[in-house]
Amino acid sequence: QVQLVESGGGLVQPGGSLRLSCTASGSIFAISTMGWARQAPGKQRELVATITSGVSTTYANSVKGRFTISRDNPKNTVYLQMNSLKPEDTAVYSCFLSRLGDESWGQGTQVTVSS
């Protein structure tokens, strides 16, 4: 069972930046698709960004041009750089690992955008 641990959340003012990190256990990180999703109170979970083992990326329309997903395979870590943050970005952000139809999820980290 892969374990994922997120870090980097917190409180930031509108227009600010945060970088989330997610480190995975095990040996399949480099051959897996990684991603980030978020869930705000009272809303459905939203897929934010994904990055394949071949480093192809996808983004939700709501974050395109502001968020960047990247990965460091030797460190088993995926990052989400979030710039120009808006109050509507407030949510619990969780990372996931996907490989051959199986998914593992982290516990999540809170991001709050407020003045």
Side-chain angles (χ1 to χ4, degrees), residues 4-9 20-22 36-37 91-95 105-111:
L4 303 170
V5 179
E6 302 99 336
S7 62
L20 306 182
S21 301
C22 172
W36 291 91
V92 175
Y93 286 70
S94 301
C95 71
W105 288 83
Q107 291 297 311
T109 185
Q110 176 70 44
V111 171

Side-chain angles (χ1 to χ4, degrees), residues 9 17 29 64 96 114:
S17 298
F29 179 88
K64 278 182 181 177
F96 65 88
S114 175

Side-chain angles (χ1 to χ4, degrees), residues 31-78:
I31 57 174
S32 301
T33 291
M34 301 298 299
W36 291 91
R38 67 186 180 184
Q39 188 164 22
K43 294 188 176 181
Q44 288 189 331
R45 187 166 64 189
E46 175 188 23
L47 181 63
V48 174
T50 64
I51 183 166
T52 67
S53 58
V55 205
S56 295
T57 58
T58 64
Y59 296 95
N61 287 334
S62 57
V63 307
K64 278 182 181 177
R66 300 188 297 122
F67 291 11
T68 302
I69 189 170
S70 61
R71 63 191 298 160
D72 186 338
N73 288 342
K75 294 184 178 179
N76 272 21
T77 299
V78 62

